[in-house]
Amino acid sequence: MARLLVCEDDDAIAEPLLRSLARDGHAVDLAVSGEAALSAIAACPPELLILDVGLPGIDGIEVCRVARRSHPALAILMLTARSSELDEVVGLDAGADDYVTKPFQLSVLLARVRALLRREGSGGRLEASGVRVESDARRAWRDGRELELSPKEFDLLALLLGNAGRVLERDRIMHEVWDENWWGSTKTLDVHMGTLRRKLGDPSPITTVRGVGFRFEAE
Ligand code: CA
């Protein structure tokens, strides 16, 4: 099951689409304007955004640009109505991952959604508190800004983010990031944690739990 956000102002399209996606086993939210979509993404980023181009207020093209900046690895599938819209979508710098032209068959759209979600699941992508990690590519971002991390800082961040909301004991972090037979001083952990926090910037998503370890805040 994946968490999806559909941004579509036309009920006649949104309703059957939401029903089909729910039948496919997904948790689906609906936003009926570009503004609503951007707030929903900021509050709780979905795995996939299905985004209509023609929206009242902020249009789908602009929503795509903004969402891309804040969530570089978010999968975006755009719905286009006219060929002029299609040109814009295809020419989009921080492009959509895929697009479907209206009118579309639901079966076609569902197949595209499955393909995008398979790709999404394969990259080892993690995200919380505005921090995104792609384990396969060994890349990380904070609020859309790519971070330059040393290998250990990256491993540390991926471990913490993969356990967002839970406290990780210092020993466990040492064993998983450094060496499973590591029994020495944990000063090196504090040094790396310090540089990682500095690179992540403020507010720090990592909380020190005194006498125990660290917790990456889930939101
Ligand atoms: Ca529309």
Side-chain angles (χ1 to χ4, degrees):
M1 187 190 87
R3 206 173 58 251
L4 272 51
L5 177 66
V6 173
C7 184
E8 167 63 78
D9 59 313
D10 185 345
D11 278 354
I13 293 170
E15 279 185 19
L17 183 52
L18 258 65
R19 271 201 306 277
S20 307
L21 291 166
R23 260 204 307 275
D24 243 24
H26 302 302
V28 194
D29 287 318
L30 174 67
V32 295
S33 71
E35 288 85 347
L38 289 174
S39 334
I41 292 165
C44 186
E47 284 160 72
L48 171 68
L49 170 64
I50 300 176
L51 179 61
D52 185 30
V53 172
L55 294 167
I58 306 177
D59 71 9
I61 301 281
E62 188 56 23
V63 172
C64 183
R65 282 205 184 95
V66 174
R68 253 296 168 259
R69 264 201 305 274
S70 57
H71 298 81
L74 169 67
I76 302 177
L77 172 67
M78 299 204 73
L79 307 178
T80 68
R82 299 185 308 273
S83 57
S84 59
E85 286 182 356
L86 181 59
D87 290 347
E88 253 191 297
V89 169
V90 172
L92 202 55
D93 305 338
D97 295 283
D98 202 356
Y99 59 87
V100 170
T101 311
K102 292 177 180 176
F104 54 82
Q105 286 186 304
L106 274 174
S107 58
V108 170
L109 188 130
L110 292 175
R112 301 283 187 88
V113 166
R114 285 185 208 116
L116 281 171
L117 288 174
R118 269 199 301 278
R119 207 190 66 189
E120 167 83 358
S122 68
R125 294 175 187 181
L126 301 165
E127 184 164 11
S129 296
V131 179
R132 182 108 190 177
V133 160
E134 289 188 28
S135 295
D136 289 4
R138 290 188 72 82
R139 297 175 74 187
W141 294 264
R142 173 88 196 255
D143 298 328
R145 170 179 58 90
E146 185 156 12
L147 305 171
E148 283 183 39
L149 303 176
S150 72
K152 288 300 181 202
E153 287 161 4
F154 182 88
D155 292 343
L156 189 53
L157 177 61
L159 176 66
L160 288 162
L161 189 52
N163 290 279
R166 290 199 288 270
V167 178
L168 289 180
E169 295 79 10
R170 300 176 65 94
D171 281 357
R172 178 172 165 203
I173 297 173
M174 291 309 301
H175 289 189
E176 293 204 17
V177 175
W178 275 267
D179 179 348
E180 59 181 306
N181 299 312
W182 202 93
W183 294 108
S185 153
T186 62
K187 183 157 174 50
T188 186
L189 169 58
D190 293 315
V191 171
H192 283 82
M193 193 64 80
T195 55
L196 176 59
R197 276 179 163 145
R198 188 169 48 72
K199 289 179 182 180
L200 285 168
D202 291 325
S204 177
I206 301 169
T207 302
T208 302
V209 183
R210 277 193 195 289
V212 186
F214 300 92
R215 180 181 62 236
F216 195 96
E217 300 302 337
E219 265 320 317

